[in-house]
Amino acid sequence: MKNIVMLSIIVCLTSLYGVFANLSTSSVPYPELFDEVCRLVEEHFYNPSFIQEKFPTIKKEYREKAELIATPTDFSRMVNAMLKHFDVSHTYYLTPRDYEYYHLSAVFSFLPSIQTLFDHQEILYPTVGIITVIIKQKVFIAAVLAGSAAEQAGLLSGDEIIDVNGTPYQPIDSLKDSVGTPVMFTVKRHAHAEVQRIAVTPVRMNPKTEMLEAQKASIRIIETQGSKIGYIHIYSYAGEEYHNELVSAISWGIFQEADALIIDLRYGMGGADPSYLNIFNPKIPVISSVDNTGKTYRYDPQWRKPAVFLVNGATRSGKEILAFGVQKYQLATVIGERTAGATLGATLFSVSNGDLLYLAGRRGYIDGVDLEGIGVTPDIEVPMDIRYCAGKDVQLVRAIDYLGEVVQSQRNVVK
């Protein structure tokens, strides 16, 4: 798996105690549960031709397998194996053991079915603030959220997670019983290095709040070649609050002193509205005012200087739309790797056992272009192997160097 009209087009991507009692406790036999999932697919999947022509054969094959299923984990794996035959984005099955279960539930918390699933309580989950990927059956940290418990403890992107408290790492199960208590991550920083043991204390957070706090913590000024480069990592764009933080940093924050700007769209969730590109619109007035002491204030919510959008294969959905837009209209330079090509519109469905089905229900076109399965090719391609990178980010370094050169070139022209 791992990889309302407007929201569903651009979205990507509880307290665990008390809520787990209501999740995955259904006594519905797995064949009946499978039939329920299939009905949702047949009623809501965006491509009726696929459902009519190909799905019957696929369904029959996996219906026979459903008769042999004995555990919730096996059922989830089987359904996701079936959904892989669809070969599209935004289509997979989630259980309470998956961190996306909580992230997507938080995004779609306006749905009555999701509110009921979580007993109308705030959606919370255990986290240390890492995003992981599985490469050749090994678990690697792809990103460490700024300001997170993982960052404070010293975990780095590129670390291979060997185990947590002596057992294989599971995003939820490794943490859920240890909120507020340190757990021991055994990691390998280099392929042939000795393992390290790093204690990290999980916290329980709302996923949307976690992403917003990490975004705020990421904001900084990077000095290079006599220039000041602003940097912000927008881990999730599934809500106006994330864009408002960017606008605030431009209008009132430290980006006022920056000569250029890097907007990092790697990892996390999509959800961006294309209107967010209005920050690059130069045809917006700048307001200056003077108070009775003679102090001058300047308000400009627009970015009028060089900028980079940093992307990779985990940049998806609404974030891809932004990357497509800045590239097409020459608003910023796109640096990194080709984006995910995941631009279908999807909705979240609650299944009777408490699991979730994320299902593509609409095909999206951006200025008439279908990016599904294609993605956005950067203006400057910078391949990066996350494995054992020890926190070194060659894509970010390239973006910094590029903007430093652009700013210096502009200064030379002025001279």
Side-chain angles (χ1 to χ4, degrees):
M1 34 194 162
K2 316 318 187 222
N3 255 146
I4 122 177
V5 173
M6 181 55 70
L7 180 59
S8 65
I9 288 177
I10 60 181
V11 165
C12 125
L13 299 68
T14 77
S15 169
L16 297 176
Y17 307 102
V19 171
F20 273 141
N22 298 322
L23 301 181
S24 293
T25 58
S26 172
S27 60
V28 179
Y30 288 116
E32 292 184 24
L33 200 60
F34 177 81
D35 291 341
E36 178 185 353
V37 171
C38 288
R39 283 195 297 272
L40 288 171
V41 170
E42 290 165 344
E43 292 173 9
H44 300 285
F45 187 61
Y46 80 96
N47 187 344
S49 296
F50 181 90
I51 295 300
Q52 294 169 8
E53 299 170 9
K54 297 183 179 180
F55 187 57
T57 301
I58 297 170
K59 177 181 175 180
K60 180 180 179 181
E61 174 188 350
Y62 284 89
R63 182 62 169 73
E64 294 173 355
K65 294 181 180 180
E67 298 284 351
L68 306 176
I69 293 297
T71 70
T73 299
D74 288 340
F75 182 76
S76 173
R77 288 173 178 167
M78 183 205 67
V79 173
N80 278 303
M82 179 184 74
L83 295 175
K84 281 187 177 180
H85 289 280
F86 289 45
D87 194 26
V88 297
S89 68
H90 295 77
T91 299
Y92 42 83
Y93 189 84
L94 295 166
T95 78
R97 300 184 66 192
D98 302 307
Y99 75 87
E100 297 100 325
Y101 181 96
Y102 305 95
H103 280 256
L104 286 170
S105 291
V107 171
F108 285 91
S109 60
F110 58 87
L111 294 176
S113 61
I114 301 302
Q115 294 171 5
T116 300
L117 181 63
F118 289 95
D119 291 335
H120 299 273
Q121 299 176 22
E122 183 180 10
I123 298 170
L124 306 172
Y125 84 130
T127 178
V128 294
I130 58 175
I131 297 172
T132 57
V133 294
I134 298 176
I135 303 175
K136 294 184 178 179
Q137 299 182 323
K138 295 181 179 180
V139 180
F140 292 90
I141 298 177
V144 178
L145 302 190
S148 67
E151 183 184 64
Q152 295 171 22
L155 290 176
L156 297 177
S157 58
D159 285 352
E160 179 192 351
I161 301 177
I162 306 301
D163 62 56
V164 177
N165 282 350
T167 60
Y169 172 73
Q170 297 292 335
I172 300 299
D173 289 353
S174 294
L175 309 176
K176 66 184 178 68
D177 295 325
S178 301
V179 172
T181 303
V183 295
M184 192 64 67
F185 275 73
T186 302
V187 302
K188 187 181 288 187
R189 191 141 290 170
H190 301 286
H192 305 293
E194 295 292 325
V195 299
Q196 300 183 39
R197 291 178 173 81
I198 300 175
V200 191
T201 302
V203 297
R204 190 178 299 114
M205 291 188 71
N206 181 297
K208 293 194 71 174
T209 301
E210 178 185 31
M211 293 293 187
L212 183 59
E213 292 303 313
Q215 177 180 323
K216 292 178 182 178
S218 75
I219 296 173
R220 65 185 187 271
I221 294 292
I222 302 168
E223 298 196 20
T224 181
Q225 303 179 44
S227 302
K228 293 183 177 181
I229 311 297
Y231 174 85
I232 183 171
H233 196 147
I234 302 179
Y235 298 96
S236 172
Y237 237 137
E240 291 184 358
E241 62 268 34
Y242 304 105
H243 186 66
N244 291 341
E245 281 300 322
L246 171 60
V247 173
S248 178
I250 292 172
S251 305
W252 311 106
I254 62 173
F255 291 166
Q256 287 185 313
E257 63 184 79
D259 301 303
L261 177 62
I262 296 171
I263 300 176
D264 193 340
L265 299 181
R266 298 173 298 174
Y267 301 109
M269 301 184 71
D273 189 302
S275 68
Y276 294 164
L277 294 183
N278 272 324
I279 60 169
F280 297 105
N281 182 1
K283 298 180 180 180
I284 302 293
V286 177
I287 300 174
S288 299
S289 58
V290 183
D291 66 17
N292 59 2
T293 68
K295 186 175 181 179
T296 300
Y297 300 86
R298 185 176 187 274
Y299 173 69
D300 183 4
Q302 306 307 111
W303 186 256
R304 307 172 192 270
K305 303 172 185 177
V308 158
F309 271 27
L310 207 53
V311 302
N312 66 5
T315 302
R316 56 187 314 201
S317 195
K319 287 180 176 179
E320 292 184 89
I321 295 173
L322 297 187
F324 174 89
V326 297
Q327 187 178 69
K328 178 178 180 179
Y329 298 107
Q330 301 181 350
L331 304 175
T333 301
V334 181
I335 293 179
E337 296 167 295
R338 181 189 293 269
T339 62
T343 55
L344 295 178
T347 301
L348 198 61
F349 296 93
S350 176
V351 184
S352 60
N353 69 334
D355 291 346
L356 295 170
L357 175 66
Y358 196 39
L359 186 67
R362 298 177 183 85
R363 192 157 203 122
Y365 298 88
I366 301 89
D367 276 354
V369 177
D370 184 0
L371 295 178
E372 177 71 16
I374 298 173
V376 176
T377 301
D379 301 302
I380 300 175
E381 294 193 63
V382 183
M384 180 174 175
D385 186 348
I386 194 68
R387 295 173 295 177
Y388 310 114
C389 69
K392 297 178 181 178
D393 190 338
V394 296
Q395 293 170 339
L396 176 58
V397 169
R398 181 67 181 93
I400 293 169
D401 290 343
Y402 168 79
L403 287 175
E405 295 167 0
V406 170
V407 172
Q408 187 59 48
S409 176
Q410 291 179 341
R411 288 173 177 167
N412 290 339
V413 170
V414 172
K415 290 179 181 180

PDB file of all heavy atoms in Angstrom, residues 1 23-26 28 30 33 68-80 93-98 353-355:
ATOM      1  N   MET A   1       0.829  -1.181   0.000  1.00  0.00           N
ATOM      2  CA  MET A   1       0.000   0.000   0.000  1.00  0.00           C
ATOM      3  C   MET A   1       0.849   1.209   0.000  1.00  0.00           C
ATOM      4  O   MET A   1       0.401   2.296   0.042  1.00  0.00           O
ATOM      5  CB  MET A   1      -0.854   0.019   1.215  1.00  0.00           C
ATOM      6  CG  MET A   1      -0.786  -0.328   2.381  1.00  0.00           C
ATOM      7  SD  MET A   1      -2.015  -0.489   3.566  1.00  0.00           S
ATOM      8  CE  MET A   1      -1.082  -1.493   4.630  1.00  0.00           C
ATOM      9  N   LEU A  23     -12.360  -1.246  17.580  1.00  0.00           N
ATOM     10  CA  LEU A  23     -11.799  -1.451  16.262  1.00  0.00           C
ATOM     11  C   LEU A  23     -11.420  -2.911  16.047  1.00  0.00           C
ATOM     12  O   LEU A  23     -10.893  -3.580  16.933  1.00  0.00           O
ATOM     13  CB  LEU A  23     -10.550  -0.581  16.075  1.00  0.00           C
ATOM     14  CG  LEU A  23     -10.781   0.930  16.232  1.00  0.00           C
ATOM     15  CD1 LEU A  23      -9.470   1.653  16.000  1.00  0.00           C
ATOM     16  CD2 LEU A  23     -11.843   1.425  15.282  1.00  0.00           C
ATOM     17  N   SER A  24     -11.662  -3.394  14.847  1.00  0.00           N
ATOM     18  CA  SER A  24     -11.289  -4.745  14.443  1.00  0.00           C
ATOM     19  C   SER A  24     -11.788  -5.798  15.425  1.00  0.00           C
ATOM     20  O   SER A  24     -11.102  -6.785  15.696  1.00  0.00           O
ATOM     21  CB  SER A  24      -9.767  -4.840  14.278  1.00  0.00           C
ATOM     22  OG  SER A  24      -9.346  -4.047  13.197  1.00  0.00           O
ATOM     23  N   THR A  25     -12.942  -5.583  16.027  1.00  0.00           N
ATOM     24  CA  THR A  25     -13.511  -6.572  16.946  1.00  0.00           C
ATOM     25  C   THR A  25     -14.746  -7.229  16.355  1.00  0.00           C
ATOM     26  O   THR A  25     -15.441  -7.971  17.029  1.00  0.00           O
ATOM     27  CB  THR A  25     -13.881  -5.907  18.277  1.00  0.00           C
ATOM     28  OG1 THR A  25     -14.816  -4.846  18.023  1.00  0.00           O
ATOM     29  CG2 THR A  25     -12.654  -5.343  18.968  1.00  0.00           C
ATOM     30  N   SER A  26     -15.038  -6.933  15.090  1.00  0.00           N
ATOM     31  CA  SER A  26     -16.227  -7.484  14.455  1.00  0.00           C
ATOM     32  C   SER A  26     -16.124  -9.000  14.342  1.00  0.00           C
ATOM     33  O   SER A  26     -15.062  -9.556  14.083  1.00  0.00           O
ATOM     34  CB  SER A  26     -16.396  -6.878  13.058  1.00  0.00           C
ATOM     35  OG  SER A  26     -17.432  -7.532  12.374  1.00  0.00           O
ATOM     36  N   VAL A  28     -17.750 -10.562  12.085  1.00  0.00           N
ATOM     37  CA  VAL A  28     -18.134 -10.871  10.708  1.00  0.00           C
ATOM     38  C   VAL A  28     -17.109 -11.820  10.100  1.00  0.00           C
ATOM     39  O   VAL A  28     -15.907 -11.557  10.131  1.00  0.00           O
ATOM     40  CB  VAL A  28     -18.213  -9.580   9.863  1.00  0.00           C
ATOM     41  CG1 VAL A  28     -18.585  -9.911   8.428  1.00  0.00           C
ATOM     42  CG2 VAL A  28     -19.207  -8.611  10.467  1.00  0.00           C
ATOM     43  N   TYR A  30     -14.616 -13.594   7.527  1.00  0.00           N
ATOM     44  CA  TYR A  30     -13.802 -12.925   6.521  1.00  0.00           C
ATOM     45  C   TYR A  30     -14.402 -12.984   5.117  1.00  0.00           C
ATOM     46  O   TYR A  30     -14.301 -12.001   4.368  1.00  0.00           O
ATOM     47  CB  TYR A  30     -12.378 -13.475   6.541  1.00  0.00           C
ATOM     48  CG  TYR A  30     -11.616 -13.035   7.768  1.00  0.00           C
ATOM     49  CD1 TYR A  30     -11.180 -13.952   8.715  1.00  0.00           C
ATOM     50  CD2 TYR A  30     -11.351 -11.685   7.997  1.00  0.00           C
ATOM     51  CE1 TYR A  30     -10.496 -13.542   9.846  1.00  0.00           C
ATOM     52  CE2 TYR A  30     -10.672 -11.268   9.121  1.00  0.00           C
ATOM     53  CZ  TYR A  30     -10.251 -12.206  10.052  1.00  0.00           C
ATOM     54  OH  TYR A  30      -9.590 -11.791  11.186  1.00  0.00           O
ATOM     55  N   LEU A  33     -16.826 -10.210   5.070  1.00  0.00           N
ATOM     56  CA  LEU A  33     -16.115  -8.930   5.101  1.00  0.00           C
ATOM     57  C   LEU A  33     -15.525  -8.623   3.726  1.00  0.00           C
ATOM     58  O   LEU A  33     -15.550  -7.478   3.255  1.00  0.00           O
ATOM     59  CB  LEU A  33     -15.017  -8.993   6.157  1.00  0.00           C
ATOM     60  CG  LEU A  33     -14.460  -7.671   6.689  1.00  0.00           C
ATOM     61  CD1 LEU A  33     -15.560  -6.837   7.333  1.00  0.00           C
ATOM     62  CD2 LEU A  33     -13.345  -7.940   7.684  1.00  0.00           C
ATOM     63  N   LEU A  68      -9.980 -18.965   3.346  1.00  0.00           N
ATOM     64  CA  LEU A  68      -8.880 -19.565   4.086  1.00  0.00           C
ATOM     65  C   LEU A  68      -8.232 -18.616   5.089  1.00  0.00           C
ATOM     66  O   LEU A  68      -7.327 -19.013   5.825  1.00  0.00           O
ATOM     67  CB  LEU A  68      -7.808 -20.066   3.104  1.00  0.00           C
ATOM     68  CG  LEU A  68      -8.304 -21.017   2.001  1.00  0.00           C
ATOM     69  CD1 LEU A  68      -7.174 -21.345   1.046  1.00  0.00           C
ATOM     70  CD2 LEU A  68      -8.896 -22.281   2.604  1.00  0.00           C
ATOM     71  N   ILE A  69      -8.701 -17.358   5.113  1.00  0.00           N
ATOM     72  CA  ILE A  69      -8.101 -16.360   5.986  1.00  0.00           C
ATOM     73  C   ILE A  69      -8.416 -16.659   7.450  1.00  0.00           C
ATOM     74  O   ILE A  69      -9.541 -17.017   7.797  1.00  0.00           O
ATOM     75  CB  ILE A  69      -8.602 -14.950   5.608  1.00  0.00           C
ATOM     76  CG1 ILE A  69      -8.067 -14.567   4.229  1.00  0.00           C
ATOM     77  CG2 ILE A  69      -8.175 -13.920   6.646  1.00  0.00           C
ATOM     78  CD1 ILE A  69      -6.572 -14.469   4.135  1.00  0.00           C
ATOM     79  N   ALA A  70      -7.386 -16.461   8.324  1.00  0.00           N
ATOM     80  CA  ALA A  70      -7.577 -16.774   9.741  1.00  0.00           C
ATOM     81  C   ALA A  70      -7.301 -15.592  10.662  1.00  0.00           C
ATOM     82  O   ALA A  70      -7.726 -15.601  11.819  1.00  0.00           O
ATOM     83  CB  ALA A  70      -6.687 -17.944  10.145  1.00  0.00           C
ATOM     84  N   THR A  71      -6.572 -14.540  10.174  1.00  0.00           N
ATOM     85  CA  THR A  71      -6.206 -13.423  11.049  1.00  0.00           C
ATOM     86  C   THR A  71      -6.488 -12.085  10.365  1.00  0.00           C
ATOM     87  O   THR A  71      -6.513 -12.004   9.128  1.00  0.00           O
ATOM     88  CB  THR A  71      -4.707 -13.471  11.416  1.00  0.00           C
ATOM     89  OG1 THR A  71      -3.926 -13.160  10.249  1.00  0.00           O
ATOM     90  CG2 THR A  71      -4.322 -14.835  11.959  1.00  0.00           C
ATOM     91  N   PRO A  72      -6.671 -11.024  11.153  1.00  0.00           N
ATOM     92  CA  PRO A  72      -6.870  -9.687  10.569  1.00  0.00           C
ATOM     93  C   PRO A  72      -5.710  -9.257   9.685  1.00  0.00           C
ATOM     94  O   PRO A  72      -5.913  -8.632   8.647  1.00  0.00           O
ATOM     95  CB  PRO A  72      -7.007  -8.783  11.797  1.00  0.00           C
ATOM     96  CG  PRO A  72      -7.458  -9.687  12.889  1.00  0.00           C
ATOM     97  CD  PRO A  72      -6.793 -11.006  12.623  1.00  0.00           C
ATOM     98  N   THR A  73      -4.484  -9.594  10.093  1.00  0.00           N
ATOM     99  CA  THR A  73      -3.310  -9.223   9.299  1.00  0.00           C
ATOM    100  C   THR A  73      -3.336  -9.904   7.936  1.00  0.00           C
ATOM    101  O   THR A  73      -3.072  -9.276   6.903  1.00  0.00           O
ATOM    102  CB  THR A  73      -2.020  -9.587  10.048  1.00  0.00           C
ATOM    103  OG1 THR A  73      -1.968  -8.877  11.284  1.00  0.00           O
ATOM    104  CG2 THR A  73      -0.795  -9.231   9.216  1.00  0.00           C
ATOM    105  N   ASP A  74      -3.670 -11.188   7.935  1.00  0.00           N
ATOM    106  CA  ASP A  74      -3.739 -11.911   6.662  1.00  0.00           C
ATOM    107  C   ASP A  74      -4.840 -11.349   5.771  1.00  0.00           C
ATOM    108  O   ASP A  74      -4.684 -11.264   4.543  1.00  0.00           O
ATOM    109  CB  ASP A  74      -3.987 -13.395   6.917  1.00  0.00           C
ATOM    110  CG  ASP A  74      -2.765 -14.098   7.489  1.00  0.00           C
ATOM    111  OD1 ASP A  74      -1.659 -13.553   7.340  1.00  0.00           O
ATOM    112  OD2 ASP A  74      -2.931 -15.176   8.084  1.00  0.00           O
ATOM    113  N   PHE A  75      -5.946 -10.950   6.375  1.00  0.00           N
ATOM    114  CA  PHE A  75      -7.041 -10.386   5.583  1.00  0.00           C
ATOM    115  C   PHE A  75      -6.616  -9.070   4.936  1.00  0.00           C
ATOM    116  O   PHE A  75      -6.860  -8.839   3.752  1.00  0.00           O
ATOM    117  CB  PHE A  75      -8.273 -10.156   6.459  1.00  0.00           C
ATOM    118  CG  PHE A  75      -9.453  -9.617   5.702  1.00  0.00           C
ATOM    119  CD1 PHE A  75     -10.206 -10.445   4.886  1.00  0.00           C
ATOM    120  CD2 PHE A  75      -9.791  -8.269   5.785  1.00  0.00           C
ATOM    121  CE1 PHE A  75     -11.283  -9.942   4.160  1.00  0.00           C
ATOM    122  CE2 PHE A  75     -10.869  -7.758   5.070  1.00  0.00           C
ATOM    123  CZ  PHE A  75     -11.615  -8.600   4.251  1.00  0.00           C
ATOM    124  N   SER A  76      -5.965  -8.216   5.713  1.00  0.00           N
ATOM    125  CA  SER A  76      -5.497  -6.935   5.178  1.00  0.00           C
ATOM    126  C   SER A  76      -4.526  -7.152   4.025  1.00  0.00           C
ATOM    127  O   SER A  76      -4.621  -6.502   2.979  1.00  0.00           O
ATOM    128  CB  SER A  76      -4.824  -6.118   6.291  1.00  0.00           C
ATOM    129  OG  SER A  76      -4.223  -4.956   5.780  1.00  0.00           O
ATOM    130  N   ARG A  77      -3.593  -8.065   4.203  1.00  0.00           N
ATOM    131  CA  ARG A  77      -2.616  -8.344   3.143  1.00  0.00           C
ATOM    132  C   ARG A  77      -3.299  -8.862   1.889  1.00  0.00           C
ATOM    133  O   ARG A  77      -2.942  -8.492   0.767  1.00  0.00           O
ATOM    134  CB  ARG A  77      -1.594  -9.357   3.639  1.00  0.00           C
ATOM    135  CG  ARG A  77      -0.616  -8.799   4.676  1.00  0.00           C
ATOM    136  CD  ARG A  77       0.256  -9.893   5.245  1.00  0.00           C
ATOM    137  NE  ARG A  77       1.224  -9.353   6.196  1.00  0.00           N
ATOM    138  CZ  ARG A  77       1.948 -10.085   7.033  1.00  0.00           C
ATOM    139  NH1 ARG A  77       1.819 -11.419   6.997  1.00  0.00           N
ATOM    140  NH2 ARG A  77       2.796  -9.529   7.872  1.00  0.00           N
ATOM    141  N   MET A  78      -4.296  -9.728   2.071  1.00  0.00           N
ATOM    142  CA  MET A  78      -4.989 -10.291   0.925  1.00  0.00           C
ATOM    143  C   MET A  78      -5.745  -9.213   0.152  1.00  0.00           C
ATOM    144  O   MET A  78      -5.692  -9.159  -1.084  1.00  0.00           O
ATOM    145  CB  MET A  78      -5.956 -11.377   1.376  1.00  0.00           C
ATOM    146  CG  MET A  78      -6.676 -12.066   0.226  1.00  0.00           C
ATOM    147  SD  MET A  78      -8.251 -12.779   0.714  1.00  0.00           S
ATOM    148  CE  MET A  78      -9.209 -11.311   1.093  1.00  0.00           C
ATOM    149  N   VAL A  79      -6.452  -8.335   0.877  1.00  0.00           N
ATOM    150  CA  VAL A  79      -7.211  -7.276   0.204  1.00  0.00           C
ATOM    151  C   VAL A  79      -6.274  -6.342  -0.540  1.00  0.00           C
ATOM    152  O   VAL A  79      -6.534  -5.950  -1.683  1.00  0.00           O
ATOM    153  CB  VAL A  79      -8.085  -6.501   1.204  1.00  0.00           C
ATOM    154  CG1 VAL A  79      -8.735  -5.303   0.517  1.00  0.00           C
ATOM    155  CG2 VAL A  79      -9.151  -7.407   1.792  1.00  0.00           C
ATOM    156  N   ASN A  80      -5.160  -5.994   0.082  1.00  0.00           N
ATOM    157  CA  ASN A  80      -4.216  -5.101  -0.597  1.00  0.00           C
ATOM    158  C   ASN A  80      -3.565  -5.776  -1.794  1.00  0.00           C
ATOM    159  O   ASN A  80      -3.268  -5.114  -2.792  1.00  0.00           O
ATOM    160  CB  ASN A  80      -3.170  -4.601   0.390  1.00  0.00           C
ATOM    161  CG  ASN A  80      -3.676  -3.433   1.211  1.00  0.00           C
ATOM    162  OD1 ASN A  80      -4.083  -2.405   0.666  1.00  0.00           O
ATOM    163  ND2 ASN A  80      -3.694  -3.580   2.519  1.00  0.00           N
ATOM    164  N   TYR A  93      -6.165  -0.731   1.556  1.00  0.00           N
ATOM    165  CA  TYR A  93      -6.923  -1.135   2.744  1.00  0.00           C
ATOM    166  C   TYR A  93      -6.060  -0.876   3.978  1.00  0.00           C
ATOM    167  O   TYR A  93      -4.868  -1.185   3.997  1.00  0.00           O
ATOM    168  CB  TYR A  93      -7.256  -2.615   2.630  1.00  0.00           C
ATOM    169  CG  TYR A  93      -8.220  -3.143   3.669  1.00  0.00           C
ATOM    170  CD1 TYR A  93      -9.596  -3.016   3.501  1.00  0.00           C
ATOM    171  CD2 TYR A  93      -7.753  -3.809   4.798  1.00  0.00           C
ATOM    172  CE1 TYR A  93     -10.486  -3.534   4.434  1.00  0.00           C
ATOM    173  CE2 TYR A  93      -8.634  -4.335   5.737  1.00  0.00           C
ATOM    174  CZ  TYR A  93      -9.995  -4.182   5.553  1.00  0.00           C
ATOM    175  OH  TYR A  93     -10.872  -4.696   6.482  1.00  0.00           O
ATOM    176  N   LEU A  94      -6.668  -0.306   5.013  1.00  0.00           N
ATOM    177  CA  LEU A  94      -5.923   0.104   6.204  1.00  0.00           C
ATOM    178  C   LEU A  94      -6.529  -0.490   7.462  1.00  0.00           C
ATOM    179  O   LEU A  94      -7.751  -0.600   7.586  1.00  0.00           O
ATOM    180  CB  LEU A  94      -5.923   1.630   6.325  1.00  0.00           C
ATOM    181  CG  LEU A  94      -5.197   2.404   5.228  1.00  0.00           C
ATOM    182  CD1 LEU A  94      -5.572   3.877   5.283  1.00  0.00           C
ATOM    183  CD2 LEU A  94      -3.696   2.236   5.365  1.00  0.00           C
ATOM    184  N   THR A  95      -5.652  -0.835   8.393  1.00  0.00           N
ATOM    185  CA  THR A  95      -6.084  -1.318   9.704  1.00  0.00           C
ATOM    186  C   THR A  95      -5.515  -0.394  10.779  1.00  0.00           C
ATOM    187  O   THR A  95      -4.634   0.428  10.493  1.00  0.00           O
ATOM    188  CB  THR A  95      -5.575  -2.750   9.959  1.00  0.00           C
ATOM    189  OG1 THR A  95      -4.182  -2.701  10.324  1.00  0.00           O
ATOM    190  CG2 THR A  95      -5.751  -3.629   8.731  1.00  0.00           C
ATOM    191  N   PRO A  96      -5.977  -0.525  12.015  1.00  0.00           N
ATOM    192  CA  PRO A  96      -5.432   0.307  13.104  1.00  0.00           C
ATOM    193  C   PRO A  96      -3.950   0.090  13.374  1.00  0.00           C
ATOM    194  O   PRO A  96      -3.362   0.815  14.177  1.00  0.00           O
ATOM    195  CB  PRO A  96      -6.276  -0.107  14.316  1.00  0.00           C
ATOM    196  CG  PRO A  96      -7.563  -0.571  13.728  1.00  0.00           C
ATOM    197  CD  PRO A  96      -7.165  -1.277  12.459  1.00  0.00           C
ATOM    198  N   ARG A  97      -3.330  -0.865  12.725  1.00  0.00           N
ATOM    199  CA  ARG A  97      -1.883  -1.068  12.868  1.00  0.00           C
ATOM    200  C   ARG A  97      -1.089  -0.218  11.892  1.00  0.00           C
ATOM    201  O   ARG A  97       0.148  -0.191  11.955  1.00  0.00           O
ATOM    202  CB  ARG A  97      -1.543  -2.549  12.652  1.00  0.00           C
ATOM    203  CG  ARG A  97      -2.212  -3.493  13.636  1.00  0.00           C
ATOM    204  CD  ARG A  97      -1.759  -4.922  13.425  1.00  0.00           C
ATOM    205  NE  ARG A  97      -0.350  -5.088  13.741  1.00  0.00           N
ATOM    206  CZ  ARG A  97       0.367  -6.169  13.427  1.00  0.00           C
ATOM    207  NH1 ARG A  97      -0.198  -7.167  12.761  1.00  0.00           N
ATOM    208  NH2 ARG A  97       1.635  -6.258  13.755  1.00  0.00           N
ATOM    209  N   ASP A  98      -1.772   0.483  10.987  1.00  0.00           N
ATOM    210  CA  ASP A  98      -1.114   1.327   9.982  1.00  0.00           C
ATOM    211  C   ASP A  98      -1.197   2.787  10.392  1.00  0.00           C
ATOM    212  O   ASP A  98      -2.270   3.279  10.759  1.00  0.00           O
ATOM    213  CB  ASP A  98      -1.797   1.154   8.619  1.00  0.00           C
ATOM    214  CG  ASP A  98      -1.793  -0.290   8.151  1.00  0.00           C
ATOM    215  OD1 ASP A  98      -0.710  -0.890   8.119  1.00  0.00           O
ATOM    216  OD2 ASP A  98      -2.883  -0.807   7.829  1.00  0.00           O
ATOM    217  N   ASN A 353     -15.778  -3.925  10.350  1.00  0.00           N
ATOM    218  CA  ASN A 353     -14.899  -4.405  11.419  1.00  0.00           C
ATOM    219  C   ASN A 353     -14.009  -3.308  11.982  1.00  0.00           C
ATOM    220  O   ASN A 353     -13.148  -3.566  12.821  1.00  0.00           O
ATOM    221  CB  ASN A 353     -14.022  -5.555  10.923  1.00  0.00           C
ATOM    222  CG  ASN A 353     -12.978  -5.087   9.909  1.00  0.00           C
ATOM    223  OD1 ASN A 353     -13.168  -4.081   9.231  1.00  0.00           O
ATOM    224  ND2 ASN A 353     -11.901  -5.839   9.792  1.00  0.00           N
ATOM    225  N   GLY A 354     -14.197  -2.070  11.518  1.00  0.00           N
ATOM    226  CA  GLY A 354     -13.385  -0.957  12.005  1.00  0.00           C
ATOM    227  C   GLY A 354     -12.190  -0.626  11.140  1.00  0.00           C
ATOM    228  O   GLY A 354     -11.482   0.344  11.404  1.00  0.00           O
ATOM    229  N   ASP A 355     -11.939  -1.415  10.106  1.00  0.00           N
ATOM    230  CA  ASP A 355     -10.867  -1.091   9.176  1.00  0.00           C
ATOM    231  C   ASP A 355     -11.349  -0.010   8.206  1.00  0.00           C
ATOM    232  O   ASP A 355     -12.509   0.414   8.248  1.00  0.00           O
ATOM    233  CB  ASP A 355     -10.432  -2.338   8.399  1.00  0.00           C
ATOM    234  CG  ASP A 355      -9.725  -3.355   9.282  1.00  0.00           C
ATOM    235  OD1 ASP A 355      -9.330  -3.000  10.406  1.00  0.00           O
ATOM    236  OD2 ASP A 355      -9.576  -4.515   8.840  1.00  0.00           O
TER     237      ASP A 355
END
